[in-house]
Amino acid sequence: MNNPLDYLWYKIRNMLMFFNQSNNHMTDTTCMGVLVGANMLTIVIIILGSLTIMSIFICFVIQAVLVFPYMSRKKQAKVLWKYKNESEKARIRGNIIITLYIILSFVLVYLVAIYHITIQNIL
């Protein structure tokens, strides 16, 4: 697994195809963008203690730069080719890791929102 974002997109695509039985590449990219954006905003809140317009803008730009390549059919084909022959053991391990990542992403957002967790509170 070289690029974690490639693997995240691949697993999200497979999960959505399993549940929806559709092949809409924009849905895959949107789901990945939501996860990456939520994680970045959570990290900014933990570090800065609050959100400012500038920090939201910077997170949005970084998120766009990270997620935009996955809108390209060429990039999608490259990622699909890369993980086409994934072994059963690697597939199971990857499913567990991605599932934990998604669950922990939303749990962390919830904890930061409810308990106002910041780096100043932790230290």
Side-chain angles (χ1 to χ4, degrees), residues 2-18:
N2 297 337
N3 184 349
L5 288 176
D6 283 355
Y7 199 69
L8 177 64
W9 180 85
Y10 174 74
K11 286 299 186 176
I12 288 173
R13 179 189 177 277
N14 287 345
M15 180 187 66
L16 291 175
M17 285 187 66
F18 177 76

Side-chain angles (χ1 to χ4, degrees), residues 10-79:
Y10 174 74
K11 286 299 186 176
I12 288 173
R13 179 189 177 277
N14 287 345
M15 180 187 66
L16 291 175
M17 285 187 66
F18 177 76
F19 287 116
N20 293 339
Q21 301 299 323
S22 68
N23 193 8
N24 184 353
H25 72 282
M26 292 304 290
T27 306
D28 311 337
T29 308
T30 304
C31 287
M32 188 175 86
V34 167
L35 280 173
V36 169
N39 289 330
M40 285 191 315
L41 288 173
T42 303
I43 291 168
V44 167
I45 291 173
I46 290 173
I47 292 171
L48 298 178
S50 66
L51 288 175
T52 63
I53 298 296
M54 185 55 98
S55 64
I56 293 172
F57 177 74
I58 291 171
C59 285
F60 180 73
V61 169
I62 293 171
Q63 176 188 9
V65 167
L66 290 175
V67 174
F68 184 73
Y70 295 93
M71 292 182 180
S72 162
R73 294 275 187 196
K74 184 177 177 181
K75 174 71 172 179
Q76 292 174 9
K78 183 179 173 185
V79 172

